[in-house]
Amino acid sequence: MNDPFKQGGDARKELIAGDDAEGRLDAWLAGEVGGDLSRSRIKALIEQGVVLLNGKVTTEPKKKVHPGDRIEISMPEPEDPEPKGEDIPLEVEYEDEDLIVLIKPAGLVVHPGAGNWTGTLVNALIHHCGDSLSGIGGVKRPGIVHRLDKETSGVMVVAKNDNAHRHLAAQFADHGRTGPLERAYKAIVWGRPKTLRGTIDAPLGRGADRTKRAVKHEDSNDAREAITHYDVIERYHEKPDATCLASLVECRLETGRTHQIRVHMAHIGHPLIGDPEYGAAFRTKANLLPDHARDLVNLFPRQALHAYLLAFEHPRTGEVMEFETDMPDDMEALASALRA
């Protein structure tokens, strides 16, 4: 048979035995699924009762297969590998028995996922912290209470025990509305918002391609409240009509949605410089810059976004802790070029 999977989705496969079908059910299935499942795994699935032979459940792996038999198997979800510790350098700002505060560089993925099962911040934390992270917040995200996009740099806090995880997670879920949690970012954007200080209140949900985010009508099924407060703190190449080519903007989050700042700034017409997903249409604006700035903008490898401020209540002592970090070298160089 060229294609034994005649119908069914990813969770269920239906196969029709060909004219040459013979032998045990587990052996025949192992040959037909093309190595997706081992014979021992298939045997266990048959014994669990998730395989049907001609419409009836069979729990006998040695059952004989005959030409024309119809076999249905409920394919199990793939098991994600458990992350292992890796000796990846960490820039630690503070650490005690409850938590660790660090500066995440651009390019580092926070937790393992499809295409990034190794080389993540979680792998580095497991190596650094040892067994203390085990099981906190789930296997793939031990200790993680918030995250930054891969190409966003900045300050993060990670929990080292269950009590700290619960306490910090509650603060992030509250978004600082009733507590001291505070998050602030610096972003270099195209143009300048009409008002130098403002609030973007625009619900976010999944975009059409399911990977990006988009502003949604509040009645959309997946719309989630998203609020960003911004202040323009520096303007580059300003003109007499008060427009400018680019700006340094401080953004403070009242909610914490995926890609929130990137989508919100693009929504008001001022996407982040270097953002390949929400600012690609603005790339030609670099041609309006002086040569050095234009070259730096064209070569900038990421969205110009840095989480520079994080404040929270310590889960054990109740002390309000605040951490602030300068923009990384690449963003400082970009700002300097635009300033010139």
Side-chain angles (χ1 to χ4, degrees):
M1 293 182 296
N2 293 327
D3 182 10
F5 295 160
K6 296 302 181 185
Q7 62 181 5
D10 291 339
R12 183 178 65 83
K13 298 296 184 184
E14 181 176 315
L15 303 89
I16 307 298
D19 294 339
D20 58 349
E22 61 179 359
R24 289 170 53 120
L25 176 60
D26 57 352
W28 183 86
L29 268 176
E32 293 298 326
V33 297
D36 289 343
L37 299 172
S38 67
R39 181 170 172 178
S40 61
R41 183 76 174 108
I42 289 174
K43 180 180 178 181
L45 290 171
I46 294 171
E47 292 172 343
Q48 291 170 21
V50 298
V51 175
L52 278 65
L53 177 61
N54 296 320
K56 295 182 180 180
V57 173
T58 179
T59 57
E60 299 179 44
K62 62 182 181 180
K63 194 85 171 179
K64 297 299 182 183
V65 176
H66 303 284
D69 281 346
R70 179 167 53 90
I71 296 95
E72 297 174 72
I73 177 172
S74 297
M75 301 290 281
E77 291 289 332
E79 296 181 359
D80 295 334
E82 184 174 340
K84 307 297 182 184
E86 296 177 43
D87 189 5
I88 301 170
L90 291 174
E91 185 179 347
V92 177
E93 292 287 288
Y94 174 85
E95 184 175 8
D96 60 24
E97 61 184 325
D98 297 301
L99 54 87
I100 179 172
V101 178
L102 52 91
I103 308 301
K104 187 191 88 66
L108 182 64
V109 175
V110 170
H111 51 71
N116 294 287
W117 293 115
T118 60
T120 71
L121 177 62
V122 162
N123 296 113
L125 287 166
I126 291 172
H127 175 83
H128 179 84
C129 300
D131 295 335
S132 66
L133 288 180
S134 180
I136 304 168
V139 173
K140 288 196 299 181
R141 306 183 184 189
I144 302 299
V145 293
H146 70 124
R147 71 178 185 88
L148 299 175
D149 292 341
K150 176 183 177 181
E151 299 300 344
T152 299
S153 55
V155 61
M156 290 185 62
V157 60
V158 177
K160 293 175 65 175
N161 54 56
D162 285 322
N163 180 66
H165 189 273
R166 287 192 298 269
H167 198 290
L168 289 169
Q171 292 184 62
F172 279 92
D174 181 62
H175 303 300
R177 288 182 171 127
T178 63
L181 182 80
E182 187 176 3
R183 289 173 293 168
Y185 296 69
K186 287 182 179 177
I188 302 177
V189 306
W190 287 113
R192 195 211 84 174
K194 290 181 179 179
T195 58
L196 296 180
R197 173 177 294 180
T199 296
I200 307 168
D201 186 350
L204 298 182
R206 288 191 180 275
D209 65 357
R210 308 294 292 172
T211 57
K212 294 198 296 185
R213 296 300 188 268
V215 170
K216 294 293 192 74
H217 189 276
E218 60 183 10
D219 294 331
S220 297
N221 290 335
D222 67 336
R224 302 182 69 188
E225 181 186 32
I227 301 173
T228 304
H229 306 284
Y230 71 85
D231 282 281
V232 177
I233 54 181
E234 194 169 0
R235 290 163 279 179
Y236 307 120
H237 297 277
E238 192 168 22
K239 299 177 182 179
D241 62 0
T243 62
C244 59
L245 293 182
S247 303
L248 178 63
V249 179
E250 179 188 270
C251 296
R252 292 179 179 258
L253 297 180
E254 189 173 321
T255 58
R257 308 303 178 202
T258 300
H259 298 178
Q260 179 172 318
I261 292 173
R262 298 166 63 188
V263 179
H264 270 176
M265 294 310 297
H267 176 63
I268 64 171
H270 304 285
L272 276 60
I273 288 179
D275 194 328
E277 296 177 306
Y278 305 105
F282 282 67
R283 287 176 182 166
T284 57
K285 286 187 175 292
N287 295 328
L288 302 174
L289 296 168
D291 291 348
H292 177 61
R294 182 190 65 233
D295 293 343
L296 205 57
V297 166
N298 285 335
L299 292 173
F300 202 74
R302 65 180 183 102
Q303 65 265 7
L305 183 62
H306 177 68
Y308 86 92
L309 174 69
L310 176 64
F312 57 87
E313 180 181 284
H314 192 284
R316 185 184 299 270
T317 67
E319 176 189 0
V320 176
M321 308 187 74
E322 182 173 308
F323 298 89
E324 189 170 333
T325 175
D326 294 334
M327 288 195 304
D329 291 344
D330 62 346
M331 283 185 63
E332 285 288 2
L334 180 61
S336 294
L338 290 169
R339 204 174 286 129

